[in-house]
Amino acid sequence: MLDFLAENNLCGQAILRIVSCGNAIIAELLRLSEFIPAVFRLKDRADQQKYGDIIFDFSYFKGPELWESKLDCKPELQDLDEEFRENNIEIVTRFYLAFQSVHKYIVDLNRYLDDLNEGVYIQQTLETVLLNEDGKQLLCEALYLYGVMLLVIDQKIEGEVRERMLVSYYRYSAARSSADSNMDDICKLLRSTGYSSQPGAKRPPNYPESYFQRVPINESFISMVIGRLRSDDIYNQVSAYPLPEHRSTALANQAAMLYVILYFEPSILHTHQAKMREIVDKYFPDNWVISIYMGITVNLVDAWEPYKAAKTALNNTLDLSNVREQASRYATVSERVHAQVQQFLKEGYLREEMVLDNIPKLLNCLRDCNVAIRWLMLHTADSENLQAWFREISKQILSLNYDDSTAAGRKTVQLIQALEEVQEFHQLESNLQVCQFLADTRKFLHQMIRTINIKEEVLITMQIVGDLSFAWQLIDSFTSIMQESIRVNPSMVTKLRATFLKLASALDLPLLRINQANSPDLLSVSQYYSGELVSYVRKVLQIIPESMFTSLLKIIKLQTHDIIEVPTRLDKDKLRDYAQLGPRYEVAKLTHAISIFTEGILMMKTTLVGIIKPSELMPKLKELGATMDGFHRSFEYIQDYVNIYGLKIWQEEVSRIINYNVEQECNNFLRTKMTCHIDQLNTWYDMKTHQEVTSSRLFSEIQTTLGTFGLNGLDRLLCFMIVKELQNFLSMFQKIILRDRTVQDTLKTLMNAVSPLKSIVANSNKIYFSAIAKTQKIWTAYLEAIMKVGQMQILRQQIANELNYSCRFDSKHLAAALENLNKALLADIEAHYQDPSLPYPKEDNTLLYEITAYLEAAGIHNPLNKIYITTKRLPYFPIVNFLFLIAQLPKLQYNKNLGMVCRKPTDPVDWPPLVLGLLTLLKQFHSRYTEQFLALIGQFICSTVEQCTSQKIPEIPADVVGALLFLEDYVRYTKLPRRVAEAHVPNFIFDEFRTVL
């Protein structure tokens, strides 16, 4: 007969795919339950007030038009709704797809049952599938997994949260209008049940049976599945547990399935006393707390309280004498196996020969240990005695294991006989070396015979007996005990490895069917459970780096403050001074303490230093530099003792810390109205005292102290701050210019007066200064925004220079390679735009993104050429910026040594940030805006000069000098050809201007 799970058996493969999908769905639900946006819970008053009008439960469906009309009446609610949609649509969609997959699962299962009944699968009916061993397992699992999905959803994702998410998806997603959308069915299945997982919450009536009956399922199928689970050992587990007292453990997985499936036929729980008595006698005679799926536990005392037949049947189990008997029995077993395990795990006891000769004894011990662990962990989860027992037993028991070996038994016996005969007949006794060799060979062959007696069933039995999936969640309560054991005895780390390996075996349960079905979900589901396991292991072993870095901090203090570095040449009379035996002995002692944690540290990643407060920046940086150097040398010193890559950990961790904390360092020298930057000296000065605030030496100091990653982190932070500032500027532009009727009228009048831009403006002084006077109120905020951007751009330029210098000095080959690669890429891109048939990086190609990160880290970039934000067309934008510039010119004067400087400290304007801020702002918009802006400046210069000539004023006005200097600096900063400026201003004016300078 065709194997039920054969690839060409359509009936078997169909149900296998369903079960595989079920395990994947549960993993996705568990994964998503950890990422529920808090706003959907509407717990605190602030969220209720802010989002209460845009987040709806299912009451929304009674009148969606009414709710939407309320939103339409309030623009602020529309903005909030749109922002909420953008922030949450991705996660809401993922939740919806998970909910949809639950509904699709039960629809697929019902369709499969219908196909069985209708004879779609030749020679297969529901009855014949249940007669097949694999078939009955899969059918039972299919129904059980659906029940687990519903319970997981209700336990992990509250009913109100589900409703709000589904309504949000309905409102925000275009899929709601799809013809094949099954939103209604999903909503009916997953509407709130009233259940709450909060302690003390009241259980809703008829829960969970009414929940389980929302999608009808074939009643005869449910009845037949329950019948199989009542009567059969569907997984043949009893053979792995031959002792009668272990029977409930052997059938524990089947018991969990039966517990869940009984809710699909609640009449058994209510009224079928004989059936419930049979179920309890078989599955729950000595236990009443069960694990239903990956550590999700249920206490039958509470779960079966509303069901008369189930509660009555459970009374025998809960009888005080029975409870006392079970507790006493497992206490006795734990003491007995404790002694056995301690004996087994003595150094040198578990030799291969001993294992081979005592397999039955070891298996019996394994069974007793694991049965006791299961019962005690489930029934005394909060018991301190259990925790103490677990600490003593689990660290040792779980490492009992041995490798199987393959050999041909009969041939081995023949070989042994042949070796005996060759020694006897060929009289080799006189050659002691040969005799010894033959004796050793026979010994190994005898060992092979004993090894061959280890059947695969032994390993299977060990796997079954050692199942720890029931403790997937309970194990967390033992974390503090494990950590204390490691703190007291660091060598305990190596023994805990067995515990983690045993816990890893729990992953087999949800992955078995997925793997059998060759499902693409295997990777996703295994990553979820593996990630959970790794997180737990890290949580337990967190104590290792904590202890290690406590010692390392003492070493750092000694290295930094006490131990003097030995020079390359040393006079012998000073040898005693440099010996420093006391501090060096202390370092050696601490090093030994750290080296004990070698195996554990490889699993860890932690923060090494804290926050540096930004006061008196340069002295603090020098002090920090000494401390960081101590850290660096200590890592370099300690890495060989703990077998880690010290430099790699140092760079990764310090980089992470820098990125997190650098903002406080940055804000110290961003004072918009207090400093001025002298471009020739590359230095910032206080406007009032004329004292130096900071210079390029600052960034050299940061480079020395924090390294390239520190300086690069500061650069990235400034980049984000520029983005934020430009976004704020756009909002301000809309508010103070585009929504002010007076300002708009002034701008329209000025536009009419200066059109066309190539003409000379008659009576220019009056027209320009009239416009400036009418718009005076808007320039204060405008100036502050422009200056902030300009200051940050200067800082970014200085950082880029320092990074580039450092890269060329320390990594000249890297610098050369990056520059050449950058030039080659730019040449290819330019060639593509000239000839589109030539290659160009595709959208999914990350080359340009990755090379940008390298170029910025090496300082091979120009911050002034960056596009920081995306922009839309803004009315009046060129003329507003032109008017802003000429409004600032009277506040400035030309100095032959320093260039443009502020006239009055009380009305501060800093020239370089002003120029760079305007340049950066214009760079964010279409180039035609820049062209118009430059044309307006050119027109202003020509018109003012024309008016001075007609009035026979011999000197060039100060404002014209400022405007010409702006054009000169604009060309210099952007590295554009001079003809860009000369296109708007005649050459003779520039020549006259240069003679004045």
Side-chain angles (χ1 to χ4, degrees):
M1 185 176 177
L2 189 63
D3 181 10
F4 189 74
L5 294 181
E7 290 188 7
N8 57 348
N9 188 326
L10 299 180
C11 182
Q13 286 296 309
I15 189 63
L16 179 60
R17 281 193 299 271
I18 290 173
V19 171
S20 164
C21 184
N23 283 291
I25 291 170
I26 294 173
E28 175 70 355
L29 291 170
L30 290 171
R31 182 189 293 114
L32 287 176
S33 68
E34 299 172 7
F35 299 97
I36 299 173
V39 68
F40 281 102
R41 291 194 167 97
L42 292 180
K43 278 190 174 180
D44 55 59
R45 184 179 297 275
D47 281 348
Q48 292 170 8
Q49 291 177 345
K50 183 175 182 180
Y51 297 105
D53 291 331
I54 64 170
I55 299 179
F56 310 100
D57 57 19
F58 279 3
S59 61
Y60 171 88
F61 292 123
K62 295 178 180 177
E65 297 82 6
L66 176 63
W67 295 109
E68 294 297 339
S69 64
K70 287 183 178 180
L71 285 178
D72 293 340
C73 294
K74 298 180 179 179
E76 64 275 12
L77 276 184
Q78 291 179 347
D79 293 342
L80 180 64
D81 194 42
E82 180 60 25
E83 177 189 345
F84 184 79
R85 188 193 71 80
E86 290 178 2
N87 291 340
N88 294 283
I89 186 61
E90 187 175 345
I91 189 68
V92 166
T93 300
R94 187 158 176 185
F95 270 95
Y96 174 77
L97 292 175
F99 296 155
Q100 184 185 48
S101 64
V102 175
H103 180 264
K104 183 177 183 299
Y105 177 89
I106 189 57
V107 170
D108 289 347
L109 178 58
N110 278 334
R111 185 182 297 116
Y112 177 79
L113 297 174
D114 291 340
D115 290 345
L116 275 178
N117 291 332
E118 293 168 8
V120 171
Y121 302 108
I122 300 173
Q123 296 183 341
Q124 292 286 12
T125 63
L126 184 58
E127 291 78 8
T128 60
V129 172
L130 283 170
L131 287 173
N132 181 280
E133 184 173 316
D134 291 320
K136 67 183 174 184
Q137 289 177 8
L138 289 168
L139 282 177
C140 293
E141 288 174 25
L143 186 57
Y144 155 72
L145 288 174
Y146 174 59
V148 171
M149 285 176 213
L150 298 180
L151 293 175
V152 165
I153 287 175
D154 228 19
Q155 191 176 96
K156 301 287 187 180
I157 311 169
E158 298 93 326
E160 289 184 343
V161 172
R162 293 199 303 271
E163 291 192 359
R164 291 166 185 155
M165 284 185 167
L166 284 167
V167 172
S168 294
Y169 178 81
Y170 175 81
R171 293 183 60 237
Y172 297 144
S173 173
R176 66 179 183 179
S177 59
S178 174
D180 57 350
S181 172
N182 52 359
M183 171 66 82
D184 289 349
D185 296 329
I186 296 169
C187 291
K188 289 175 184 175
L189 173 61
L190 297 179
R191 68 181 185 273
S192 177
T193 60
Y195 170 82
S196 173
S197 58
Q198 298 299 319
K202 190 176 180 182
R203 180 173 174 172
N206 301 320
Y207 179 86
E209 56 266 33
S210 60
Y211 179 33
F212 277 43
Q213 291 168 358
R214 288 181 176 178
V215 176
I217 303 173
N218 188 305
E219 292 182 4
S220 62
F221 163 65
I222 295 172
S223 179
M224 293 171 77
V225 164
I226 292 174
R228 286 294 176 189
L229 289 172
R230 281 172 50 206
S231 61
D232 296 358
D233 174 13
I234 66 171
Y235 293 107
N236 302 316
Q237 299 277 306
V238 173
S239 60
Y241 294 89
L243 293 179
E245 56 264 32
H246 294 168
R247 183 176 181 182
S248 62
T249 303
L251 298 174
N253 288 339
Q254 196 167 321
M257 296 171 69
L258 187 56
Y259 163 80
V260 173
I261 291 173
L262 280 172
Y263 286 121
F264 289 103
E265 195 168 336
S267 60
I268 295 177
L269 293 166
H270 281 293
T271 58
H272 294 203
Q273 294 191 4
K275 289 182 180 179
M276 285 308 304
R277 206 161 39 243
E278 175 197 346
I279 290 170
V280 170
D281 289 345
K282 182 175 181 178
Y283 293 106
F284 310 113
D286 55 3
N287 67 98
W288 55 93
V289 181
I290 62 173
S291 169
I292 59 171
Y293 190 89
M294 292 304 288
I296 300 173
T297 54
V298 171
N299 190 327
L300 296 181
V301 178
D302 300 325
W304 284 354
E305 174 66 28
Y307 310 104
K308 183 178 179 181
K311 183 179 178 181
T312 303
L314 198 60
N315 283 340
N316 290 336
T317 302
L318 299 176
D319 184 73
L320 186 59
S321 61
N322 183 55
V323 173
R324 187 180 292 115
E325 179 188 344
Q326 300 305 324
S328 175
R329 177 161 70 89
Y330 284 109
T332 304
V333 170
S334 68
E335 291 178 8
R336 174 169 55 82
V337 298
H338 185 199
Q340 286 181 334
V341 170
Q342 284 190 322
Q343 178 65 29
F344 287 151
L345 293 184
K346 282 183 179 177
E347 187 69 32
Y349 187 86
L350 280 180
R351 302 184 311 279
E352 192 170 355
E353 294 86 349
M354 185 272 170
V355 171
L356 293 170
D357 291 338
N358 294 277
I359 289 173
K361 183 179 178 182
L362 289 170
L363 277 180
N364 287 335
C365 181
L366 277 175
R367 288 190 189 96
D368 288 340
C369 288
N370 282 281
V371 169
I373 285 175
R374 184 185 190 94
W375 195 93
L376 288 168
M377 287 189 72
L378 287 173
H379 292 78
T380 57
D382 299 324
S383 167
E384 292 183 4
N385 292 331
L386 170 65
Q387 293 177 11
W389 180 88
F390 181 77
R391 184 174 64 248
E392 294 297 326
I393 298 291
S394 70
K395 294 177 294 187
Q396 304 174 36
I397 302 171
L398 309 179
S399 60
L400 286 174
N401 203 345
Y402 55 92
D403 292 331
D404 193 8
S405 178
T406 55
R410 185 174 300 172
K411 189 172 182 180
T412 304
V413 173
Q414 292 172 351
L415 286 170
I416 293 173
Q417 292 173 347
L419 289 172
E420 289 173 346
E421 291 171 358
V422 77
Q423 183 171 337
E424 181 180 346
F425 294 135
H426 291 269
Q427 300 177 351
L428 297 176
E429 287 85 349
S430 59
N431 191 327
L432 294 179
Q433 188 174 0
V434 173
C435 283
Q436 184 62 45
F437 178 76
L438 290 172
D440 288 345
T441 305
R442 287 196 300 272
K443 176 185 173 184
F444 289 136
L445 288 171
H446 277 294
Q447 189 166 321
M448 288 172 66
I449 289 176
R450 296 210 308 273
T451 303
I452 199 66
N453 289 329
I454 302 175
K455 305 295 183 186
E456 187 180 358
E457 288 77 6
V458 175
L459 297 177
I460 294 172
T461 299
M462 289 177 64
Q463 186 177 7
I464 293 171
V465 169
D467 173 47
L468 198 68
S469 61
F470 65 90
W472 186 255
Q473 297 182 13
L474 286 174
I475 196 76
D476 192 40
S477 60
F478 298 94
T479 301
S480 59
I481 298 169
M482 296 181 192
Q483 289 183 331
E484 185 59 30
S485 299
I486 295 172
R487 191 193 300 275
V488 174
N489 182 10
S491 62
M492 192 64 69
V493 175
T494 55
K495 295 183 179 180
L496 275 178
R497 178 176 176 272
T499 306
F500 299 140
L501 288 175
K502 185 178 180 74
L503 197 57
S505 68
L507 272 60
D508 295 340
L509 175 66
L511 295 176
L512 174 63
R513 298 304 186 190
I514 297 177
N515 195 24
Q516 284 181 334
N518 295 319
S519 170
D521 293 325
L522 179 64
L523 181 62
S524 170
V525 176
S526 61
Q527 280 180 342
Y528 167 69
Y529 287 116
S530 300
E532 293 290 300
L533 179 58
V534 169
S535 297
Y536 177 70
V537 171
R538 284 181 173 168
K539 181 178 178 181
V540 173
L541 297 183
Q542 177 69 34
I543 194 67
I544 294 175
E546 286 180 8
S547 303
M548 174 184 165
F549 286 118
T550 301
S551 300
L552 184 58
L553 197 60
K554 296 176 183 176
I555 292 176
I556 289 166
K557 187 176 180 182
L558 289 167
Q559 292 266 28
T560 305
H561 302 293
D562 296 348
I563 296 178
I564 306 170
E565 199 165 348
V566 180
T568 52
R569 293 175 65 94
L570 180 65
D571 296 336
K572 65 179 182 180
D573 56 340
K574 295 183 179 179
L575 188 60
R576 181 179 297 277
D577 297 335
Y578 283 96
Q580 297 179 284
L581 298 179
R584 293 189 189 278
Y585 170 74
E586 188 66 24
V587 169
K589 189 168 72 171
L590 291 167
T591 302
H592 175 262
I594 290 174
S595 64
I596 296 174
F597 292 112
T598 299
E599 294 183 41
I601 189 59
L602 295 175
M603 306 175 68
M604 289 310 304
K605 183 178 183 181
T606 189
T607 300
L608 307 180
V609 293
I611 295 172
I612 306 298
K613 293 183 180 179
S615 59
E616 300 178 0
L617 192 56
M618 290 296 281
K620 281 290 183 183
L621 279 173
K622 290 184 183 294
E623 183 183 334
L624 177 63
T627 305
M628 297 291 276
D629 184 58
F631 269 96
H632 188 275
R633 287 190 289 117
S634 299
F635 265 80
E636 187 178 18
Y637 163 77
I638 206 71
Q639 63 181 357
D640 293 332
Y641 293 96
V642 294
N643 191 29
I644 60 174
Y645 296 106
L647 180 61
K648 182 180 180 183
I649 290 180
W650 169 258
Q651 289 179 335
E652 289 179 355
E653 292 303 322
V654 175
S655 174
R656 189 158 62 87
I657 295 162
I658 292 300
N659 292 340
Y660 184 77
N661 292 306
V662 76
E663 182 173 359
Q664 294 182 64
E665 300 292 343
C666 173
N667 286 339
N668 188 62
F669 44 84
L670 283 181
R671 297 286 184 266
T672 304
K673 294 188 178 181
M674 300 300 293
T675 60
C676 66
H677 181 261
I678 304 302
D679 208 21
Q680 295 89 330
L681 301 176
N682 208 10
T683 303
W684 301 78
Y685 291 91
D686 187 286
M687 280 192 176
K688 293 182 179 178
T689 65
H690 296 177
Q691 295 295 314
E692 180 181 317
V693 176
T694 188
S695 68
S696 57
R697 294 194 307 276
L698 170 70
F699 300 103
S700 300
E701 197 67 43
I702 294 176
Q703 171 76 11
T704 303
T705 304
L706 303 179
T708 298
F709 37 78
L711 205 52
N712 191 36
L714 177 58
D715 184 56
R716 288 203 310 275
L717 176 64
L718 287 169
C719 185
F720 285 118
M721 291 172 72
I722 291 172
V723 171
K724 185 67 177 175
E725 201 60 48
L726 288 171
Q727 290 172 340
N728 291 341
F729 171 84
L730 293 181
S731 300
M732 178 196 71
F733 193 93
Q734 292 276 353
K735 183 178 179 181
I736 68 174
I737 293 174
L738 300 185
R739 294 178 186 172
D740 190 318
R741 179 64 63 185
T742 305
V743 173
Q744 287 196 49
D745 291 342
T746 303
L747 294 174
K748 282 182 182 178
T749 303
L750 181 60
M751 284 285 288
N752 293 331
V754 301
S755 296
L757 295 182
K758 292 294 183 181
S759 65
I760 299 295
V761 179
N763 202 6
S764 58
N765 279 353
K766 182 180 179 182
I767 290 174
Y768 288 131
F769 291 110
S770 172
I772 291 173
K774 291 178 181 178
T775 55
Q776 195 65 45
K777 62 180 182 179
I778 70 174
W779 300 133
T780 302
Y782 210 98
L783 175 64
E784 185 175 348
I786 294 293
M787 293 282 284
K788 280 184 179 179
V789 173
Q791 284 182 326
M792 289 187 281
Q793 286 287 48
I794 293 173
L795 292 175
R796 289 203 70 199
Q797 281 188 312
Q798 292 177 325
I799 290 172
N801 290 337
E802 182 62 37
L803 286 172
N804 191 239
Y805 171 79
S806 173
C807 184
R808 289 175 182 276
F809 187 82
D810 296 330
S811 308
K812 61 181 181 180
H813 297 303
L814 174 63
L818 286 172
E819 285 180 353
N820 288 330
L821 178 58
N822 187 39
K823 290 176 183 176
L825 280 172
L826 289 174
D828 285 351
I829 292 170
E830 288 175 5
H832 168 78
Y833 279 107
Q834 292 175 3
D835 182 1
S837 64
L838 293 174
Y840 181 83
K842 296 180 180 177
E843 288 186 5
D844 58 350
N845 190 327
T846 59
L847 174 63
L848 293 180
Y849 174 79
E850 291 172 356
I851 192 66
T852 299
Y854 279 100
L855 292 171
E856 290 184 351
I860 308 173
H861 71 111
N862 185 354
L864 301 179
N865 290 337
K866 297 284 183 184
I867 303 297
Y868 292 95
I869 58 173
T870 55
T871 55
K872 298 177 182 178
R873 182 176 173 274
L874 280 182
Y876 309 113
F877 187 71
I879 200 163
V880 169
N881 285 291
F882 159 71
L883 204 56
F884 162 72
L885 175 62
I886 65 172
Q888 307 312 312
L889 292 178
K891 302 176 184 177
L892 296 152
Q893 62 184 7
Y894 178 72
N895 181 293
K896 288 189 176 182
N897 295 321
L898 302 177
M900 293 291 281
V901 295
C902 182
R903 285 183 185 273
K904 300 177 184 177
T906 54
D907 196 6
V909 178
D910 193 9
W911 179 253
L914 177 68
V915 176
L916 292 181
L918 271 173
L919 188 155
T920 303
L921 183 62
L922 289 164
K923 188 71 178 176
Q924 311 312 304
F925 291 85
H926 195 280
S927 58
R928 67 171 177 270
Y929 281 179
T930 303
E931 280 294 315
Q932 292 175 21
F933 172 72
L934 295 177
L936 284 164
I937 295 175
Q939 186 184 49
F940 167 76
I941 294 170
C942 294
S943 299
T944 307
V945 169
E946 174 70 22
Q947 187 170 337
C948 289
T949 304
S950 64
Q951 296 175 2
K952 298 183 180 181
I953 299 174
E955 294 184 359
I956 299 179
D959 290 355
V960 173
V961 172
L964 287 165
L965 275 171
F966 179 87
L967 290 177
E968 292 253 318
D969 286 348
Y970 180 87
V971 168
R972 177 165 61 89
Y973 283 124
T974 56
K975 298 180 180 178
L976 292 172
R978 182 168 294 278
R979 64 175 180 271
V980 172
E982 292 174 348
H984 305 288
V985 178
N987 283 338
F988 75 87
I989 295 180
F990 268 116
D991 294 340
E992 179 68 20
F993 159 68
R994 291 188 192 102
T995 60
V996 172
L997 297 184

